[in-house]
């Protein structure tokens, strides 16, 4: 009854199609994935395996996620394989040891906190994992000879109005700052996409549970719309975008037209053979937009060689140097949530302070 796939809900194919350049990029190479036990990181791992990657290394701070990933990949879950690494991406000493040992050619950085309301209340966690974690993994990658570093971002980084969005835009700026240094020593880029249907803790997971339990479905606003992708679509386009990476650009994936969440609820119920459920409107949460955006107003869009990927340069209206990130983290460790939000906005310089400090 409720076994409706995300691809059916969106009404479009979900399986990625790779170009030869993407296959050549990863074939036979040593690749490390952070957040490897998460929805996107795990799918990147699966797709890399199908593309003939040479050796894979899996980094996550969730023991059960690593257990589940190893069980899926090998049929065992003994967790005695050193390729499965339990680590916090903000742990500088540990990440340097891991990169020195693994010696990957390519790093896909998917580790992140992503739940918007939780991060509004705990912005220091967003700073530590999403901002400092990106800087730490990138610095370790440079120090240990990684050739290509791909940072996974989100559409909430465009004109950010939330802690999640600010943290991911700062992460994009960290990547761009590295590329703009006198001797970057590495090819880097960020990849930005919207909501991923079927990811862990996502809208579809909640909707399926509410319908199965006979509960009313909660909706923040009847007019709210989002850009949606399936997990295979998103991961496949991340791998394709990594071919394009040059000098710190942010690549934005084509997700079609935005979809009203209410329409998805109705479609899901119909495909499940259920009557339309009762809906409780809860109101938009702090930091949440009615309609998501893919591009910041300050960003000029450019086409790329891939028909579903566009390119922007992150606006140079802030600072995301190593020193600035360390200063932000030190402040976030002891400051009140509103003070952390303001400190993030000050780094971004172009953010809406009235919204962010509320």
């Amino acid at each position: 009854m409720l076994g409706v796939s995300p691809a059916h809900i969106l009404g479009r194919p979900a399986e990625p199609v790779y170009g030869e350049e993407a296959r050549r990029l990863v074939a036979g190479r040593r690749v490390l994935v952070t957040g490897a036990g998460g929805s996107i990181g795990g799918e990147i791992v699966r797709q890399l395996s199908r593309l003939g990657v040479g050796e894979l290394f899996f980094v996550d701070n969730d023991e059960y996620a690593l257990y589940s990933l190893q069980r899926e990949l090998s049929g065992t879950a003994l967790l005695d394989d050193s390729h499965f690494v339990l680590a916090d991406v903000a742990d500088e000493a540990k990440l340097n040891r891991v990169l020195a040992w693994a010696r990957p050619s390519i790093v896909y950085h998917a580790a992140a906190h992503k739940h918007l309301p939780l991060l509004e209340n705990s912005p220091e966690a967003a700073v530590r994992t999403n901002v400092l974690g990106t800087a730490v993994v990138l610095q370790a990658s440079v120090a240990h000879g990684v050739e290509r570093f791909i940072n996974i971002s989100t559409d909430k980084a465009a004109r950010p109005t939330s802690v999640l969005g600010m943290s991911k835009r700062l992460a994009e700026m960290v990547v761009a700052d590295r590329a703009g240094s006198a001797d970057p020593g590495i090819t880097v880029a960020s990849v930005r996409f919207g909501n991923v249907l079927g990811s862990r803790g996502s809208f579809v997971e909640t909707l399926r549970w509410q319908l199965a339990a006979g509960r009313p479905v909660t909706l923040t606003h009847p007019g709210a719309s989002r850009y949606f992708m399936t997990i295979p679509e998103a991961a496949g386009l991340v791998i394709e975008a990594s071919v394009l990476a040059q000098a710190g650009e942010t690549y934005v994936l084509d997700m079609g037209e935005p979809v009203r969440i209410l329409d998805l609820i109705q479609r899901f119920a119909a495909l499940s053979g259920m009557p339309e459920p009762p809906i409780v409107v809860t109101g938009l949460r702090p930091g949440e937009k009615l309609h998501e955006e893919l591009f910041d107003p300050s960003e000029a869009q450019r086409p790329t060689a891939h028909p579903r990927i566009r390119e922007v340069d992150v606006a140079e209206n802030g600072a995301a140097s190593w020193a600035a990130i360390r200063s932000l983290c030190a402040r976030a460790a002891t400051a009140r949530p509103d003070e952390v939000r303001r400190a993030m906005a000050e780094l971004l310089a172009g953010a809406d302070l009235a919204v962010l400090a509320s």
Side-chain angles (χ1 to χ4, degrees):
M1 177 181 64
L2 297 177
V4 179
S5 73
H8 286 138
I9 301 172
L10 287 182
R12 64 176 188 245
E15 288 306 311
V17 178
Y18 306 102
E20 279 305 311
E21 285 186 87
R23 294 178 182 276
R24 285 196 297 269
L25 176 69
V26 302
R29 309 295 292 281
R30 298 166 72 91
V31 180
L32 182 144
V33 181
T34 72
S39 302
I40 296 300
E43 182 62 22
I44 289 173
V45 164
R46 294 180 197 98
Q47 294 190 21
L48 289 172
S49 298
R50 293 200 292 270
L51 291 172
V53 67
E55 196 167 359
L56 273 169
F57 302 88
F58 319 94
V59 176
D60 207 292
N61 69 344
D62 183 330
E63 292 175 286
Y64 185 74
L66 290 173
Y67 162 88
S68 300
L69 182 64
Q70 188 185 34
R71 183 180 61 189
E72 177 187 343
L73 295 176
S74 68
T76 68
L78 300 176
L79 292 179
D80 55 354
D81 183 339
S82 59
H83 287 67
F84 291 81
V85 181
L86 184 66
D88 176 351
V89 290
D91 184 336
E92 192 173 349
K94 177 68 176 282
L95 263 293
N96 271 287
R97 290 197 300 273
V98 171
L99 270 292
W101 166 73
R103 295 180 295 105
S105 297
I106 305 170
V107 169
Y108 289 96
H109 178 52
H113 289 312
K114 67 176 186 177
H115 285 284
L116 187 150
L118 285 176
L119 296 182
E120 288 299 307
N121 293 325
S122 301
E124 73 288 348
V127 170
R128 177 175 173 81
T129 297
N130 296 359
V131 186
L132 178 61
T134 300
V136 164
V137 178
L138 178 52
Q139 289 280 57
S141 296
V142 172
H144 299 289
V146 171
E147 298 169 15
R148 192 167 299 240
F149 175 93
I150 307 300
N151 170 52
I152 309 302
S153 190
T154 170
D155 59 358
K156 292 170 180 62
R159 197 181 65 82
T161 58
S162 64
V163 166
L164 170 58
M166 285 192 292
S167 68
K168 296 301 277 185
R169 187 161 188 87
L170 284 168
E172 290 184 9
M173 291 168 64
V174 164
V175 174
D177 183 76
R178 178 73 228 180
S181 63
D183 182 20
I186 191 171
T187 298
V188 296
S190 295
V191 181
R192 185 190 295 171
F193 51 84
N195 292 43
V196 180
L197 281 178
S199 62
R200 190 169 65 174
S202 71
F203 156 73
V204 168
E205 184 178 340
T206 302
L207 175 59
R208 182 177 280 115
W209 182 88
Q210 288 172 331
L211 289 174
R215 300 286 187 91
V217 172
T218 50
L219 176 66
T220 58
H221 191 287
S225 69
R226 297 290 181 266
Y227 290 94
F228 288 102
M229 300 187 86
T230 65
I231 297 173
E233 270 187 305
L237 284 171
V238 165
I239 294 170
E240 284 287 340
S242 63
V243 174
L244 305 171
Q246 295 180 33
E249 307 86 356
T250 291
Y251 294 100
V252 183
L253 307 186
D254 174 15
M255 289 163 278
E257 294 300 314
V259 180
R260 274 201 324 161
I261 297 174
L262 178 59
D263 293 340
L264 283 186
I265 294 171
Q266 294 168 336
R267 193 177 307 163
F268 187 95
L271 289 169
S272 300
M274 302 183 69
E276 188 172 322
I279 293 174
V280 175
V281 176
T282 59
L284 292 173
R285 300 165 293 187
E288 191 170 29
K289 296 179 183 178
L290 183 60
H291 306 292
E292 290 291 0
E293 303 158 274
L294 297 179
F295 302 95
D296 194 275
S298 64
E299 296 172 337
Q301 307 171 33
R302 297 183 295 275
T304 70
H306 194 289
R308 292 193 62 190
I309 302 173
R310 297 186 70 79
E311 174 187 322
V312 299
D313 293 322
V314 178
E316 296 179 359
N317 61 350
S321 67
W322 185 244
I325 296 307
R326 284 198 178 283
S327 175
L328 173 64
C329 290
R331 185 172 175 184
T334 58
R336 299 193 310 267
D338 62 320
E339 294 172 338
V340 179
R341 287 194 291 267
R342 183 169 290 276
M344 296 172 77
E346 288 169 357
L347 262 186
L348 287 170
D352 184 344
L353 289 173
V355 173
L356 299 173
S358 62

